[in-house]
Amino acid sequence: MSKMDTLADLKIGESAIIVAFTDEEMALKLMEMGCIPGEKITLERTAPMGDPIAVSVSGYVLSLRKKEAATITVTGRS
């Protein structure tokens, strides 16, 4: 069985599909912001030191800390 990727593993310009969340408390906040399982998410850019990151999801751009992004499990990187 292979290790699942997280949003924090994506490179700039890569997209993936949200599968699940590893932190239940954070999951509620992320889902309220449009990060819903099955939704396509794209890493748009990162801050100069690599944190935070900007992702495109549900038609808008969202800024997340890498620690928060690491709680989002994704599949189908492209």
Side-chain angles (χ1 to χ4, degrees):
M1 180 180 224
S2 65
K3 175 183 171 276
M4 294 289 284
D5 290 325
T6 70
L7 179 58
D9 297 323
L10 296 186
K11 307 287 185 221
I12 294 174
E14 279 190 321
S15 297
I17 303 298
I18 298 171
V19 175
F21 304 96
T22 59
D23 181 323
E24 285 186 33
E25 189 173 318
M26 181 62 65
L28 181 58
K29 293 176 185 177
L30 291 167
M31 287 193 288
E32 288 174 347
M33 293 186 282
C35 296
I36 298 170
E39 193 73 33
K40 180 181 176 182
I41 192 164
T42 303
L43 179 58
E44 297 291 341
R45 58 186 173 271
T46 65
M49 299 299 285
D51 194 15
I53 63 173
V55 296
S56 176
V57 62
S58 300
Y60 66 96
V61 177
L62 175 66
S63 180
L64 295 172
R65 295 275 178 205
K66 286 274 247 189
K67 181 178 174 183
E68 297 166 333
T71 68
I72 302 173
T73 305
V74 297
T75 189
R77 287 171 69 169
S78 59

